[in-house]
Amino acid sequence: MSIQVFGMPVSRGVAIGRAVLVASSRVDVAHYFVPSDRLEHEVARLREARDAVAAELTALKRDLPGDAPAELSALLDVHLMLLHDEALTGATKVWIHERHYNAEWALSAQLEVLARQFDDMEDDYLRERKADVEQVAERLLRYLGRSAPGASEMLAPTVSGARDFAGEDPLVLVANDVAPADMIQFKRSVFTGFVTDVGGKTSHTAIVARSMDIPAVVGAREASRLIRQDDWLVIDGDAGVVIVNPSPIVLEEYRFRQRQSELERARLNRLRHTPAVTLDGQAVELLANIELPADAAGALAAGAVGVGLFRSEFLFMNRDGDLPDEEEQFEAYRSAVLAMQGLPVTIRTVDIGADKPLDRMSPTELRHEHALNPALGLRAIRWSLSEPGMFRQQLRAILRASAFGKVRILVPMVAHLGEIRATLEAVARARQQLDDAGRAYGDVEIGAMIEVPAAALMIDRFLAHFDYVSIGTNDLIQYTLAIDRADDAVSHLFDPWHPAVLRLIADTIARANACGRGVSVCGEMAGDAAFTDLLLAMGLRSFSMHPARIASIKQRVLRADTRKLAATLDAVMQADDPARESGRLHLGGQSV
Ligand code: PEP
Ligand code: MG
């Protein structure tokens, strides 16, 4: 039977594929396809892990102290039995052979199937055995982790590479929640769409999904419970709807829409190298937001004239406390700079915290772990200033990369003049250290992100200390309206059209322009065509967004006349409902 699940659209387009359910706790498990000639090797890895776990359990049982409760020994017997049960390891082999999943992925897929069977059981005792299966699987996953092949041995998990042997069906990922750091691993993955139960439109998970330019729906509440492994799904990334096992007519309709959007995409792509100039001759800078150095090539290919936001924190995540040292960071920044072939690269200093924890925690886990509000805690520049050694190391790495091209430093979440002073001192100290060591570096502009209302309200004083500013609308909205951007329960209140938000943005742009300082918007509003006209009317001439959005925004810029737009600004800014007023004046386009 076909059902529909509603959530929030975060990345446009239509994806059609079979569901791959991934438990949130297991999204960090490696997901890649195994070529035919290595299937037996993969099965052998599973067998070795099983034998090792069996030996471990047997040893545990043997070494139980004489006075240990009899239940303990019985429990180990149950675990040993489960380990050899066809429903676990036997069925996992089938996933490897038939789907070409690597052993870890196959095991987690089978675990999902079993978990659901246990959940459906009437008998309480039997239902509780799910925990035992999970414990056994955890042990197996631990062993498999030790025998995991190096990255070069894995087949690059790209769609084209995988299709050679992994069956014909495209795959769609369904999870309760995915941490931003795990989402980044899916960047070059086989998945052609995403659905998560939780998350907001500008949560970092959604942002990474959008940067992958594949349809995604978040905040779909019950999705991971209602959808079953292998169900056919249509993800309507425009409407925020997931259709489970659609009828042939619905499927046909969506296939048609899919073809239409591919044609539209190809048409927009032709604008790639057209300069972004308005009808009245105003040049507009369209920059790219990237998460990893490898994204720079895509930015260039999409026609970006530079990187307006490199979210460097993705280099710091999931490293078990082993943060990247100066050399590793330098290599990463340099490779982005070289890839941009002389175009500017804006590197934001690490913005760890809030929904981007250092270790692997989903936003939901994070909220449960820390009762205090992480969005108001030690994040971004606050964290950097609390770790001066780490901060100077990052600054030295960025400065050194500037010897290879145009680099700008961007400081996130500044709110206090004291933070500005401390940051500038840290940069001066880093320069001094490089001078002392005889290391080269170039001229580097330093800018601040305006993403806290305090910074927007104090913009004149902030501008006196910085070469440029970049407005982070995602956080500016979060902090102005007191809405956690990652919380789907309040996502209906996350409103970029709120007059207070628009006023802070407009004032920041106007003041920066008046002082002759550069000003850009790098939050999600910059890549949303619904706001292009309005931002142009406010005087913005620099937008930074996911590479995939550049062509659409360029199309709007090419059709805009900034003189006419400026004349409409007052009406929108004075309106109680700026979105409606903007629609009445025929400004803007469709929002995602
Ligand atoms: C923002 O807050 O708008 C921004 C661009 O930074 P991030 O989304 O990484 O917090
Ligand atoms: Mg931000």
Side-chain angles (χ1 to χ4, degrees):
M1 196 191 58
S2 171
I3 54 166
Q4 294 188 6
V5 185
F6 295 88
M8 264 168 293
V10 291
S11 188
R12 297 171 84 158
V14 171
I16 301 172
R18 281 194 184 275
V20 174
L21 278 137
V22 180
S24 302
S25 56
R26 291 198 185 80
V27 283
D28 57 325
V29 160
H31 292 74
Y32 56 95
F33 288 113
V34 179
S36 305
D37 59 358
R38 291 192 55 91
L39 287 179
E40 281 318 314
H41 171 77
E42 206 59 18
V43 171
R45 280 182 64 224
L46 181 68
R47 200 169 36 239
E48 279 158 23
R50 188 198 58 194
D51 293 347
V53 172
E56 185 180 86
L57 291 172
T58 312
L60 272 174
K61 190 170 168 229
R62 188 193 56 219
D63 298 341
L64 277 180
D67 56 353
E71 288 82 3
L72 217 51
S73 167
L75 191 69
L76 290 170
D77 280 336
V78 170
H79 283 198
L80 273 164
M81 204 180 67
L82 288 171
L83 189 63
H84 290 100
D85 195 315
E86 274 302 292
L88 189 62
T89 38
T92 298
K93 268 189 252 166
V94 178
W95 288 100
I96 297 175
H97 275 130
E98 292 187 358
R99 301 292 180 87
H100 291 242
Y101 289 0
N102 61 305
E104 293 90 329
W105 182 4
L107 182 61
S108 357
Q110 182 55 21
L111 197 58
E112 279 300 312
V113 173
L114 294 175
R116 276 159 193 262
Q117 288 173 3
F118 279 106
D119 286 342
D120 288 344
M121 284 176 183
E122 299 281 327
D123 185 297
D124 282 351
Y125 173 81
L126 287 178
R127 210 169 39 243
E128 279 159 20
R129 297 287 63 78
K130 177 175 145 187
D132 295 313
V133 180
E134 284 177 338
Q135 281 167 22
V136 173
E138 286 306 336
R139 281 184 191 273
L140 283 167
L141 284 171
R142 239 187 345 261
Y143 269 95
L144 285 168
R146 289 180 204 163
S147 69
S152 58
E153 281 176 71
M154 285 181 204
L155 184 90
T158 57
V159 177
S160 55
R163 286 279 80 87
D164 298 344
F165 49 78
E168 290 306 311
D169 301 336
L171 304 175
V172 168
L173 180 105
V174 182
N176 172 257
D177 199 0
V178 182
D182 290 321
M183 202 65 171
I184 208 98
Q185 296 193 345
F186 291 123
K187 271 222 167 192
R188 291 179 307 120
S189 78
V190 292
F191 299 110
T192 58
F194 287 91
V195 186
T196 61
D197 295 347
V198 302
K201 219 167 167 174
T202 55
S203 63
H204 284 92
T205 299
I207 288 175
V208 177
R210 202 150 38 233
S211 76
M212 292 156 71
D213 196 24
I214 58 176
V217 171
V218 303
R221 297 295 171 97
E222 299 284 277
S224 73
R225 199 180 56 77
L226 295 171
I227 297 169
R228 306 206 159 239
Q229 196 81 15
D230 272 345
D231 275 349
W232 272 100
L233 300 185
V234 169
I235 299 185
D236 183 338
D238 298 312
V241 181
V242 182
I243 303 165
V244 187
N245 294 322
S247 68
I249 293 180
V250 170
L251 199 58
E252 196 36 55
E253 167 65 21
Y254 273 103
R255 287 206 194 283
F256 175 74
R257 276 184 46 188
Q258 215 174 17
R259 283 192 295 274
Q260 293 295 104
S261 49
E262 271 154 26
L263 288 176
E264 170 70 4
R265 200 176 292 221
R267 195 180 60 74
L268 280 176
N269 254 342
R270 290 202 285 273
L271 292 178
R272 236 179 14 241
H273 301 300
T274 308
V277 180
T278 62
L279 290 174
D280 57 321
Q282 295 281 317
V284 177
E285 184 181 51
L286 299 183
L287 303 162
N289 292 354
I290 64 170
E291 278 86 37
L292 295 171
D295 299 337
L300 206 58
V305 295
V307 170
L309 173 64
F310 176 174
R311 290 183 161 100
S312 71
E313 54 276 12
F314 282 90
L315 299 172
F316 286 66
M317 290 181 194
N318 287 348
R319 303 179 56 114
D320 294 329
D322 172 29
L323 301 184
D325 63 12
E326 180 178 329
E327 276 322 295
E328 185 180 340
Q329 288 188 60
F330 164 64
E331 290 299 336
Y333 304 143
R334 184 176 62 166
S335 82
V337 169
L338 292 176
M340 290 308 289
Q341 303 176 3
L343 296 172
V345 178
T346 309
I347 304 175
R348 177 171 72 182
T349 60
V350 63
D351 183 3
I352 275 301
D355 69 334
K356 285 177 292 191
L358 268 181
D359 48 358
R360 181 173 272 121
M361 249 191 274
S362 73
T364 317
E365 285 169 321
L366 188 75
R367 265 191 291 275
H368 289 152
E369 283 280 311
H370 304 273
L372 301 174
N373 188 334
L376 301 182
L378 195 66
R379 66 167 286 206
I381 189 63
R382 302 171 180 182
W383 186 71
S384 294
L385 291 175
S386 73
E387 300 275 343
M390 180 289 304
F391 191 35
R392 274 200 304 278
Q393 210 172 47
Q394 175 168 42
L395 292 171
R396 287 195 301 270
I398 299 176
L399 288 169
R400 285 172 59 196
S402 73
F404 297 85
K406 190 166 166 33
V407 169
R408 309 196 305 174
I409 292 176
L410 181 59
V411 189
M413 217 188 155
V414 217
H416 299 266
L417 290 168
E419 286 166 347
I420 299 178
R421 263 194 301 277
T423 302
L424 297 179
E425 272 165 28
V427 176
R429 181 97 193 273
R431 282 193 175 116
Q432 185 61 52
Q433 288 172 329
L434 292 179
D435 287 340
D436 293 348
R439 289 214 185 259
Y441 60 92
D443 282 336
V444 174
E445 289 188 349
I446 303 177
M449 288 200 70
I450 303 299
E451 46 186 357
V452 179
L457 292 167
M458 298 287 288
I459 187 66
D460 277 335
R461 296 229 213 140
F462 273 45
L463 284 167
H465 298 280
F466 289 105
D467 299 308
Y468 69 100
V469 290
S470 186
I471 308 175
T473 50
N474 309 334
D475 277 317
L476 189 60
I477 299 167
Q478 156 165 272
Y479 295 125
T480 304
L481 303 180
I483 302 298
D484 184 338
R485 59 194 263 197
D487 187 348
D488 50 298
V490 286
S491 62
H492 58 291
L493 296 171
F494 188 93
D495 180 14
W497 286 106
H498 193 293
V501 171
L502 296 185
R503 188 167 312 166
L504 291 174
I505 297 173
D507 286 352
T508 303
I509 295 170
R511 295 309 308 152
N513 283 341
C515 302
R517 294 276 198 282
V519 54
S520 179
V521 169
C522 63
E524 296 300 289
M525 278 171 87
D528 187 337
F531 295 98
T532 314
D533 286 351
L534 184 62
L535 293 169
L536 287 170
M538 290 176 180
L540 189 75
R541 298 294 180 265
S542 173
F543 296 64
S544 192
M545 67 203 81
H546 304 299
R549 298 295 307 148
I550 289 179
S552 304
I553 300 300
K554 192 182 283 182
Q555 177 167 265
R556 286 218 72 82
V557 168
L558 294 173
R559 293 175 182 169
D561 183 328
T562 61
R563 287 165 311 189
K564 287 190 189 151
L565 291 174
T568 65
L569 184 61
D570 266 355
V572 177
M573 296 300 288
Q574 299 307 326
D576 285 342
D577 185 346
R580 164 136 18 122
E581 184 63 17
S582 158
R584 205 181 61 74
L585 293 167
H586 302 294
L587 304 177
Q590 203 190 349
S591 180
V592 147

